[in-house]
Amino acid sequence: MNLPNKLTVARICMIPLFMVFLLIPFSFGGKGETVCRVAAAFLFLVAAITDHLDGKIARKRQLVTDFGKFLDPLADKMMVLGALIGLIVLAGRGASSTEGGVYYRLTATLCFLILFRELAVTSLRLAVSGSKRSGVVIAANILGKIKTVSQIVFVMVALLEPIVFGEYLLGHFEVFLAVSQHHLLSYAAMLFTAVMTVWSGLSYFKAFFPLINSNK
């Protein structure tokens, strides 16, 4: 197994550990949520870095393999969707309040939107690659790359905003607590991610859907 594939496998192995920190309410001496969020954010960032490195190394050293072509996009989807599911669970713990309920529902909606987009684009790839008319392989375009970055940024913001703008690091300053309670940065990142998810998905369908023969 070459280095890019090892990085991809390592990224997949990080996902269960990342999910453990998100889903299990450890105490850690009363600072459990802070420790878990920081640990999960660190693991997610490392996984995102390996996602960038494995493709770059594979192309530079001409180490592209069928194994990597299959596993790398799968690892990407597992990483992002696993993170979103974990964030839904975290948001659900605070869903008893009105604002917490709104944040919970919007996070769940974003997860569904991303899942729907990924399934649709994956189906489009299979249909186009199997078409005798095209012989085209759908590569990631700039919108798809921005979409991926926006999802990574959203996960990082959603994990760390309650800590950076919360009582854990900044004390009992009401202005920062207000920012934390209303998830302002998370909402902004969520909106941008939703726009890029839809936009990039539509761009793929606009470019490649005409290549599918609906009569076959």
Side-chain angles (χ1 to χ4, degrees):
M1 185 181 295
N2 59 35
L3 179 58
N5 290 342
K6 289 180 180 178
L7 289 174
T8 302
V9 172
R11 182 162 76 257
I12 292 177
C13 292
M14 291 180 201
I15 296 170
L17 184 58
F18 168 81
M19 296 296 291
V20 165
F21 282 111
L22 281 184
L23 301 179
I24 300 179
F26 295 105
S27 60
F28 292 116
K31 297 294 184 181
E33 183 177 353
T34 304
V35 174
C36 288
R37 282 177 176 269
V38 171
F42 173 77
L43 287 171
F44 187 80
L45 181 61
V46 171
I49 292 173
T50 63
D51 179 28
H52 172 71
L53 288 178
D54 59 11
K56 186 175 182 179
I57 293 173
R59 290 187 296 270
K60 184 176 180 179
R61 301 184 182 180
Q62 297 182 342
L63 296 175
V64 178
T65 63
D66 291 337
F67 179 80
K69 291 178 181 179
F70 163 74
L71 205 60
D72 183 65
L74 178 63
D76 297 345
K77 292 173 177 58
M78 291 171 61
M79 180 180 73
V80 172
L81 292 175
L84 288 171
I85 291 171
L87 289 175
I88 291 173
V89 173
L90 290 180
R93 293 172 186 168
S96 56
S97 65
T98 300
E99 194 275 334
V102 172
Y103 182 70
Y104 169 71
R105 288 190 290 272
L106 288 178
T107 304
T109 300
L110 180 63
C111 182
F112 170 78
L113 184 64
I114 292 175
L115 178 60
F116 179 82
R117 185 264 185 203
E118 295 301 333
L119 290 175
V121 171
T122 299
S123 299
L124 178 65
R125 290 177 187 273
L126 292 174
V128 171
S129 64
S131 174
K132 294 181 180 180
R133 297 173 59 202
S134 64
V136 174
V137 176
I138 302 179
N141 60 19
I142 185 62
L143 291 177
K145 294 176 181 178
I146 295 175
K147 177 269 303 180
T148 300
V149 172
S150 71
Q151 292 174 355
I152 294 171
V153 170
F154 167 70
V155 172
M156 295 296 293
V157 169
L159 284 173
L160 297 178
E161 183 181 20
I163 299 173
V164 175
F165 294 104
E167 59 183 342
Y168 303 110
L169 295 183
L170 297 176
H172 299 280
F173 295 102
E174 293 183 2
V175 61
F176 293 113
L177 289 177
V179 172
S180 174
Q181 290 168 357
H182 292 89
H183 303 94
L184 295 183
L185 296 179
S186 296
Y187 282 138
M190 186 186 299
L191 176 61
F192 183 68
T193 300
V195 170
M196 292 310 306
T197 297
V198 173
W199 189 4
S200 64
L202 291 177
S203 72
Y204 280 118
F205 271 84
K206 182 179 179 180
F208 296 101
F209 190 79
L211 298 176
I212 301 176
N213 188 343
S214 60
N215 297 319
K216 293 184 178 181

